[in-house]
Amino acid sequence: MHIGKKIKTIMEQRNRSVIWVAKQLECERTNIYNIFARADINTRLLRQLCTILEYNFFKDLADETAKK
């Protein structure tokens, strides 16, 4: 799974803008676009994204690992 693409998909499903997510993370919106390009991400940032987007990305990663 490409985590950046997954984050972007969930963000769009939740009708959240890049600006909104950037405000929640207290960062510039260019950082959010950089996240979309990432194939991996640190757990602290992923945990923050789970909270603000109300989605468990860790479960998706675990499910993918279990399939392998």
Side-chain angles (χ1 to χ4, degrees):
M1 168 178 28
H2 188 284
I3 194 65
K5 290 178 183 177
K6 183 69 176 187
I7 291 165
K8 182 178 181 186
T9 298
I10 298 303
M11 190 187 84
E12 290 169 349
Q13 288 176 356
R14 300 282 195 259
N15 294 315
R16 297 299 185 182
S17 69
V18 170
I19 294 169
W20 184 87
V21 174
K23 283 182 181 180
Q24 300 304 305
L25 293 176
E26 298 179 355
C27 69
E28 299 293 323
R29 66 178 185 181
T30 54
N31 293 352
I32 305 306
Y33 291 112
N34 289 337
I35 290 170
F36 296 159
R38 295 181 190 176
D40 56 18
I41 191 170
N42 74 54
T43 55
R44 182 174 169 253
L45 178 55
L46 189 59
R47 188 179 73 231
Q48 289 176 305
L49 288 163
C50 287
T51 301
I52 66 171
L53 294 174
E54 298 177 348
Y55 187 85
N56 189 347
F57 294 102
F58 290 102
K59 181 181 180 321
D60 288 351
L61 291 169
D63 290 347
E64 181 181 288
T65 301
K67 288 180 185 177
K68 292 181 181 180

Coordinates of all heavy atoms in Angstrom, one line a residue:
M1 N 0.8 -1.2 0.0 CA 0.0 0.0 0.0 C 0.9 1.2 0.0 O 1.9 1.3 0.8 CB -0.9 0.0 1.2 CG -1.6 1.3 1.4 SD -2.7 1.5 2.8 CE -2.2 0.4 4.0
H2 N 0.6 2.2 -0.8 CA 1.2 3.5 -0.8 C 0.5 4.4 0.1 O -0.6 4.8 -0.1 CB 1.2 4.1 -2.2 CG 2.0 5.3 -2.4 ND1 1.6 6.5 -1.9 CD2 3.2 5.5 -3.0 CE1 2.5 7.4 -2.2 NE2 3.5 6.8 -2.9
I3 N 1.1 4.6 1.3 CA 0.4 5.3 2.4 C 0.0 6.7 2.0 O -1.1 7.2 2.4 CB 1.2 5.2 3.7 CG1 0.3 5.6 4.9 CG2 2.5 6.1 3.6 CD1 -0.8 4.7 5.2
G4 N 0.8 7.4 1.3 CA 0.4 8.8 0.9 C -0.8 8.8 0.1 O -1.7 9.7 0.3
K5 N -1.0 7.9 -0.9 CA -2.2 7.8 -1.7 C -3.4 7.5 -0.9 O -4.5 8.0 -1.1 CB -2.0 6.8 -2.8 CG -1.0 7.3 -3.9 CD -0.8 6.2 -5.0 CE 0.2 6.7 -6.0 NZ 0.5 5.7 -7.0
K6 N -3.2 6.6 0.1 CA -4.3 6.2 1.0 C -4.8 7.3 1.8 O -6.0 7.6 2.0 CB -3.8 5.0 1.9 CG -4.9 4.5 2.8 CD -6.0 3.8 2.0 CE -7.0 3.1 2.9 NZ -8.0 2.3 2.2
I7 N -3.8 8.1 2.3 CA -4.2 9.3 3.1 C -5.0 10.3 2.3 O -6.0 10.8 2.7 CB -2.9 9.9 3.7 CG1 -2.3 9.0 4.8 CG2 -3.2 11.3 4.3 CD1 -0.9 9.4 5.2
K8 N -4.5 10.5 1.1 CA -5.2 11.4 0.2 C -6.6 10.9 -0.1 O -7.6 11.7 -0.1 CB -4.5 11.6 -1.1 CG -5.1 12.6 -2.1 CD -4.3 12.8 -3.3 CE -5.0 13.8 -4.2 NZ -4.4 13.9 -5.5
T9 N -6.8 9.6 -0.3 CA -8.1 9.1 -0.6 C -9.0 9.2 0.6 O -10.2 9.7 0.4 CB -8.0 7.6 -1.0 OG1 -7.2 7.4 -2.1 CG2 -9.3 6.9 -1.2
I10 N -8.6 8.9 1.8 CA -9.4 9.0 3.0 C -9.8 10.5 3.2 O -10.9 10.8 3.6 CB -8.7 8.4 4.2 CG1 -8.5 6.9 4.0 CG2 -9.5 8.7 5.5 CD1 -9.8 6.1 3.6
M11 N -8.8 11.4 3.0 CA -9.0 12.8 3.2 C -10.2 13.3 2.3 O -11.1 14.0 2.7 CB -7.7 13.6 2.9 CG -7.8 15.0 3.3 SD -6.3 15.9 2.7 CE -6.8 16.3 1.1
E12 N -10.1 12.8 1.0 CA -11.1 13.2 0.1 C -12.5 12.6 0.5 O -13.5 13.3 0.3 CB -10.7 12.8 -1.3 CG -9.6 13.6 -1.9 CD -9.0 13.1 -3.1 OE1 -9.3 11.9 -3.5 OE2 -8.2 13.8 -3.8
Q13 N -12.5 11.4 0.9 CA -13.7 10.7 1.3 C -14.4 11.4 2.5 O -15.6 11.5 2.7 CB -13.5 9.3 1.7 CG -13.2 8.4 0.5 CD -12.9 7.0 0.9 OE1 -12.8 6.6 2.1 NE2 -12.7 6.1 -0.1
R14 N -13.5 12.0 3.4 CA -14.0 12.7 4.5 C -14.3 14.2 4.2 O -14.7 15.0 5.1 CB -12.9 12.7 5.7 CG -12.6 11.3 6.1 CD -13.6 10.8 7.1 NE -13.2 9.6 7.8 CZ -13.5 8.4 7.5 NH1 -14.2 8.1 6.5 NH2 -13.0 7.4 8.3
N15 N -14.2 14.6 3.0 CA -14.4 16.0 2.5 C -13.6 17.0 3.3 O -14.0 18.0 3.7 CB -15.9 16.3 2.6 CG -16.7 15.5 1.7 OD1 -16.4 15.3 0.5 ND2 -17.9 15.0 2.2
R16 N -12.3 16.6 3.5 CA -11.4 17.5 4.2 C -10.4 18.1 3.1 O -9.9 17.3 2.3 CB -10.6 16.7 5.2 CG -11.5 16.2 6.3 CD -12.2 17.3 7.1 NE -13.0 16.8 8.2 CZ -13.7 17.6 8.9 NH1 -13.8 18.9 8.7 NH2 -14.3 17.0 10.0
S17 N -10.1 19.3 3.2 CA -9.2 20.0 2.3 C -7.8 19.9 2.8 O -7.5 19.6 4.0 CB -9.6 21.5 2.2 OG -9.3 22.2 3.4
V18 N -6.9 20.1 1.9 CA -5.5 20.2 2.3 C -5.2 21.3 3.3 O -4.5 21.1 4.3 CB -4.6 20.4 1.0 CG1 -3.2 20.7 1.4 CG2 -4.7 19.2 0.1
I19 N -5.9 22.4 3.1 CA -5.7 23.5 4.1 C -6.2 23.1 5.4 O -5.6 23.4 6.5 CB -6.5 24.7 3.6 CG1 -5.8 25.3 2.3 CG2 -6.5 25.8 4.6 CD1 -6.6 26.3 1.5
W20 N -7.4 22.4 5.5 CA -7.9 22.0 6.8 C -6.9 21.0 7.5 O -6.6 21.1 8.7 CB -9.3 21.3 6.6 CG -9.9 20.9 7.9 CD1 -10.7 21.7 8.7 CD2 -9.8 19.6 8.6 NE1 -11.1 21.0 9.8 CE2 -10.6 19.7 9.8 CE3 -9.2 18.4 8.3 CZ2 -10.7 18.7 10.6 CZ3 -9.3 17.4 9.2 CH2 -10.0 17.5 10.3
V21 N -6.4 20.0 6.8 CA -5.5 19.0 7.4 C -4.2 19.8 7.8 O -3.7 19.5 8.9 CB -5.2 17.9 6.4 CG1 -4.1 17.0 6.9 CG2 -6.4 17.1 6.1
A22 N -3.7 20.7 7.0 CA -2.5 21.4 7.4 C -2.7 22.2 8.7 O -1.8 22.2 9.5 CB -2.1 22.4 6.2
K23 N -3.9 22.8 8.8 CA -4.2 23.5 10.1 C -4.2 22.6 11.2 O -3.7 22.9 12.3 CB -5.5 24.3 9.9 CG -5.5 25.5 9.1 CD -6.8 26.2 9.1 CE -6.7 27.5 8.3 NZ -8.0 28.2 8.2
Q24 N -4.8 21.4 11.1 CA -4.9 20.5 12.2 C -3.5 20.0 12.6 O -3.2 19.7 13.8 CB -5.7 19.2 11.7 CG -7.2 19.6 11.4 CD -7.9 20.3 12.5 OE1 -8.0 19.8 13.6 NE2 -8.5 21.4 12.1
L25 N -2.6 19.8 11.6 CA -1.2 19.4 11.9 C -0.3 20.5 12.2 O 0.9 20.3 12.5 CB -0.7 18.6 10.7 CG -1.4 17.3 10.4 CD1 -0.8 16.6 9.2 CD2 -1.3 16.3 11.6
E26 N -0.8 21.8 12.1 CA 0.0 23.0 12.3 C 1.2 23.0 11.4 O 2.4 23.1 11.9 CB 0.4 23.1 13.8 CG -0.8 23.2 14.7 CD -0.5 23.3 16.2 OE1 0.7 23.2 16.6 OE2 -1.4 23.5 17.0
C27 N 1.0 22.8 10.1 CA 2.1 22.9 9.2 C 1.6 23.6 7.9 O 0.4 24.0 7.8 CB 2.5 21.4 8.9 SG 1.4 20.4 7.9
E28 N 2.5 23.7 7.0 CA 2.1 24.3 5.7 C 1.5 23.3 4.8 O 1.7 22.1 4.9 CB 3.4 24.8 5.0 CG 4.2 25.9 5.8 CD 3.4 27.2 5.9 OE1 2.7 27.6 4.9 OE2 3.5 27.8 7.0
R29 N 0.6 23.8 3.9 CA -0.1 22.9 3.0 C 0.8 22.1 2.1 O 0.5 21.0 1.7 CB -1.2 23.6 2.3 CG -0.7 24.6 1.3 CD -1.8 25.2 0.5 NE -1.1 26.1 -0.5 CZ -1.7 26.8 -1.3 NH1 -3.0 26.9 -1.3 NH2 -1.0 27.5 -2.1
T30 N 2.0 22.7 1.8 CA 3.0 22.0 0.9 C 3.4 20.7 1.6 O 3.7 19.7 0.9 CB 4.2 22.9 0.6 OG1 4.7 23.4 1.8 CG2 3.8 24.0 -0.3
N31 N 3.5 20.7 2.9 CA 3.8 19.5 3.7 C 2.8 18.4 3.4 O 3.2 17.2 3.4 CB 4.0 19.8 5.2 CG 5.1 20.7 5.5 OD1 6.0 21.0 4.6 ND2 5.2 21.1 6.7
I32 N 1.5 18.8 3.3 CA 0.5 17.8 3.1 C 0.7 17.1 1.7 O 0.6 15.9 1.5 CB -0.9 18.4 3.2 CG1 -1.0 19.1 4.6 CG2 -2.0 17.3 3.0 CD1 -0.7 18.2 5.8
Y33 N 1.0 18.0 0.7 CA 1.2 17.4 -0.6 C 2.4 16.5 -0.6 O 2.4 15.5 -1.3 CB 1.4 18.6 -1.6 CG 0.1 19.3 -1.9 CD1 0.0 20.7 -1.5 CD2 -0.9 18.7 -2.6 CE1 -1.2 21.4 -1.8 CE2 -2.1 19.4 -2.8 CZ -2.2 20.7 -2.4 OH -3.4 21.4 -2.7
N34 N 3.4 16.8 0.2 CA 4.6 16.0 0.3 C 4.2 14.6 1.0 O 4.7 13.6 0.6 CB 5.7 16.6 1.2 CG 6.4 17.8 0.4 OD1 6.3 17.8 -0.8 ND2 6.9 18.7 1.2
I35 N 3.3 14.6 1.9 CA 2.8 13.4 2.5 C 2.2 12.5 1.4 O 2.4 11.3 1.4 CB 1.8 13.7 3.7 CG1 2.6 14.3 4.9 CG2 1.1 12.4 4.1 CD1 1.7 14.8 5.9
F36 N 1.4 13.1 0.6 CA 0.7 12.3 -0.5 C 1.7 11.6 -1.4 O 1.4 10.5 -1.9 CB -0.1 13.2 -1.4 CG -1.3 13.9 -0.7 CD1 -1.8 15.0 -1.3 CD2 -1.8 13.4 0.5 CE1 -2.9 15.7 -0.7 CE2 -2.9 14.1 1.1 CZ -3.4 15.2 0.5
A37 N 2.9 12.1 -1.5 CA 3.9 11.5 -2.4 C 4.7 10.4 -1.7 O 5.4 9.6 -2.3 CB 4.9 12.6 -2.9
R38 N 4.5 10.3 -0.4 CA 5.3 9.3 0.4 C 4.8 7.9 0.3 O 3.6 7.6 0.4 CB 5.4 9.7 1.9 CG 6.0 11.0 2.2 CD 6.0 11.2 3.7 NE 6.4 12.6 4.0 CZ 6.4 13.1 5.2 NH1 6.0 12.4 6.2 NH2 6.9 14.4 5.3
A39 N 5.7 6.9 0.2 CA 5.4 5.5 0.2 C 5.4 5.0 1.7 O 4.8 4.0 2.0 CB 6.3 4.7 -0.7
D40 N 6.1 5.7 2.5 CA 6.1 5.4 4.0 C 6.1 6.7 4.8 O 6.2 7.8 4.3 CB 7.4 4.6 4.3 CG 8.7 5.2 3.9 OD1 8.7 6.5 3.7 OD2 9.7 4.6 3.9
I41 N 5.8 6.5 6.1 CA 5.5 7.6 7.0 C 5.9 7.2 8.4 O 5.8 6.0 8.7 CB 4.1 8.0 6.8 CG1 3.8 9.4 7.5 CG2 3.1 7.0 7.3 CD1 2.4 9.9 7.2
N42 N 6.3 8.2 9.2 CA 6.6 7.8 10.6 C 5.3 7.6 11.4 O 4.3 8.2 11.0 CB 7.6 8.9 11.2 CG 7.0 10.2 11.6 OD1 5.9 10.2 12.2 ND2 7.6 11.3 11.1
T43 N 5.4 6.8 12.4 CA 4.2 6.5 13.2 C 3.6 7.6 13.9 O 2.4 7.7 14.0 CB 4.5 5.3 14.1 OG1 5.6 5.7 15.0 CG2 4.9 4.0 13.4
R44 N 4.4 8.6 14.4 CA 3.8 9.7 15.1 C 2.9 10.5 14.2 O 1.8 10.9 14.5 CB 5.0 10.6 15.6 CG 4.5 11.8 16.4 CD 5.6 12.5 17.0 NE 5.2 13.8 17.5 CZ 5.5 15.0 17.0 NH1 6.2 15.0 15.9 NH2 5.0 16.1 17.5
L45 N 3.4 10.8 13.0 CA 2.6 11.6 12.0 C 1.3 10.7 11.6 O 0.2 11.3 11.5 CB 3.4 11.9 10.8 CG 2.7 12.7 9.7 CD1 2.0 14.0 10.2 CD2 3.7 13.0 8.6
L46 N 1.5 9.5 11.4 CA 0.4 8.6 11.0 C -0.7 8.6 12.1 O -1.9 8.6 11.8 CB 0.9 7.2 10.7 CG -0.2 6.3 10.0 CD1 -0.7 6.9 8.7 CD2 0.4 4.9 9.8
R47 N -0.2 8.5 13.3 CA -1.2 8.5 14.5 C -2.0 9.8 14.5 O -3.2 9.8 14.7 CB -0.4 8.3 15.8 CG -1.4 8.1 17.0 CD -0.6 7.9 18.3 NE 0.0 9.2 18.7 CZ 1.3 9.3 19.0 NH1 2.1 8.3 19.0 NH2 1.7 10.5 19.4
Q48 N -1.3 11.0 14.2 CA -2.0 12.2 14.2 C -3.0 12.2 13.1 O -4.1 12.7 13.2 CB -1.0 13.4 14.0 CG -0.1 13.7 15.1 CD 0.9 14.7 14.8 OE1 1.7 14.6 13.9 NE2 1.0 15.8 15.6
L49 N -2.6 11.7 11.9 CA -3.6 11.7 10.8 C -4.8 10.7 11.1 O -5.9 11.0 10.7 CB -2.9 11.2 9.5 CG -1.9 12.3 8.9 CD1 -0.9 11.6 7.9 CD2 -2.7 13.4 8.3
C50 N -4.5 9.6 11.8 CA -5.6 8.8 12.2 C -6.6 9.5 13.1 O -7.8 9.4 12.9 CB -5.1 7.6 13.0 SG -4.2 6.3 12.1
T51 N -6.1 10.3 14.0 CA -7.0 11.1 14.9 C -7.8 12.1 14.1 O -9.0 12.2 14.3 CB -6.1 11.7 16.0 OG1 -5.4 10.7 16.7 CG2 -7.0 12.5 16.9
I52 N -7.1 13.0 13.3 CA -7.8 14.1 12.7 C -8.7 13.6 11.6 O -9.8 14.2 11.3 CB -6.9 15.2 12.2 CG1 -6.0 14.7 11.1 CG2 -6.1 15.8 13.4 CD1 -5.2 15.8 10.4
L53 N -8.4 12.5 10.9 CA -9.3 12.0 9.8 C -10.2 10.9 10.3 O -11.0 10.4 9.5 CB -8.4 11.5 8.6 CG -7.6 12.5 7.9 CD1 -6.7 11.9 6.9 CD2 -8.5 13.6 7.3
E54 N -10.1 10.5 11.6 CA -11.0 9.5 12.1 C -10.9 8.2 11.3 O -12.0 7.7 10.9 CB -12.4 10.0 12.3 CG -12.4 11.2 13.3 CD -13.8 11.8 13.4 OE1 -14.7 11.4 12.6 OE2 -14.0 12.6 14.3
Y55 N -9.7 7.8 11.1 CA -9.5 6.6 10.2 C -8.3 5.8 10.8 O -7.3 6.4 11.1 CB -9.3 6.9 8.8 CG -9.3 5.7 7.9 CD1 -10.5 5.2 7.4 CD2 -8.1 5.1 7.5 CE1 -10.4 4.1 6.6 CE2 -8.0 4.0 6.7 CZ -9.2 3.5 6.2 OH -9.2 2.4 5.4
N56 N -8.4 4.5 10.8 CA -7.3 3.7 11.4 C -6.4 3.2 10.2 O -6.6 2.1 9.7 CB -7.8 2.5 12.2 CG -6.7 1.8 12.9 OD1 -5.5 2.0 12.7 ND2 -7.1 0.9 13.8
F57 N -5.4 4.0 9.9 CA -4.5 3.5 8.8 C -3.6 2.4 9.3 O -3.2 1.5 8.5 CB -3.5 4.7 8.5 CG -4.3 5.9 7.8 CD1 -4.6 7.0 8.5 CD2 -4.6 5.8 6.5 CE1 -5.2 8.1 7.9 CE2 -5.3 6.8 5.9 CZ -5.6 8.0 6.6
F58 N -3.4 2.2 10.6 CA -2.6 1.1 11.1 C -3.3 -0.2 10.8 O -2.6 -1.2 10.5 CB -2.3 1.3 12.6 CG -1.4 2.5 12.9 CD1 -1.9 3.7 13.4 CD2 -0.1 2.3 12.8 CE1 -1.1 4.7 13.7 CE2 0.8 3.4 13.1 CZ 0.3 4.6 13.5
K59 N -4.6 -0.2 10.9 CA -5.3 -1.5 10.6 C -5.1 -1.9 9.2 O -4.9 -3.1 8.9 CB -6.8 -1.3 10.9 CG -7.6 -2.6 10.7 CD -9.1 -2.4 10.9 CE -9.9 -3.7 10.7 NZ -9.6 -4.5 9.6
D60 N -5.2 -0.9 8.3 CA -5.0 -1.2 6.9 C -3.6 -1.8 6.6 O -3.4 -2.7 5.9 CB -5.1 0.0 6.0 CG -6.6 0.5 5.9 OD1 -7.5 -0.3 6.3 OD2 -6.8 1.6 5.3
L61 N -2.6 -1.2 7.3 CA -1.2 -1.7 7.1 C -1.1 -3.1 7.7 O -0.4 -3.9 7.1 CB -0.2 -0.7 7.8 CG -0.1 0.7 7.2 CD1 0.7 1.6 8.1 CD2 0.6 0.5 5.8
A62 N -1.7 -3.3 8.8 CA -1.6 -4.7 9.5 C -2.3 -5.7 8.6 O -1.8 -6.8 8.4 CB -2.3 -4.6 10.8
D63 N -3.5 -5.3 8.0 CA -4.2 -6.2 7.1 C -3.4 -6.6 5.9 O -3.3 -7.7 5.5 CB -5.5 -5.6 6.7 CG -6.5 -5.6 7.8 OD1 -6.3 -6.2 8.9 OD2 -7.6 -4.9 7.7
E64 N -2.7 -5.6 5.4 CA -1.8 -5.8 4.2 C -0.7 -6.7 4.5 O -0.3 -7.6 3.8 CB -1.3 -4.5 3.6 CG -0.5 -4.7 2.4 CD 0.1 -3.4 1.9 OE1 -0.7 -2.6 1.3 OE2 1.3 -3.2 2.0
T65 N -0.1 -6.5 5.7 CA 1.0 -7.4 6.1 C 0.6 -8.8 6.3 O 1.3 -9.8 6.0 CB 1.6 -6.8 7.4 OG1 2.1 -5.5 7.2 CG2 2.8 -7.6 7.9
A66 N -0.6 -9.0 6.9 CA -1.2 -10.3 7.1 C -1.4 -11.1 5.8 O -1.3 -12.3 5.8 CB -2.5 -10.2 7.9
K67 N -1.7 -10.4 4.8 CA -2.0 -11.0 3.5 C -0.7 -11.6 2.9 O -0.7 -12.5 2.1 CB -2.6 -10.0 2.5 CG -4.0 -9.7 2.8 CD -4.5 -8.7 1.8 CE -5.9 -8.2 2.2 NZ -6.4 -7.2 1.3
K68 N 0.4 -11.0 3.2 CA 1.7 -11.4 2.7 C 2.2 -12.6 3.3 O 2.4 -13.5 3.7 CB 2.8 -10.3 2.8 CG 2.4 -9.1 1.9 CD 3.5 -8.0 2.0 CE 3.1 -6.9 1.1 NZ 4.0 -5.8 1.1

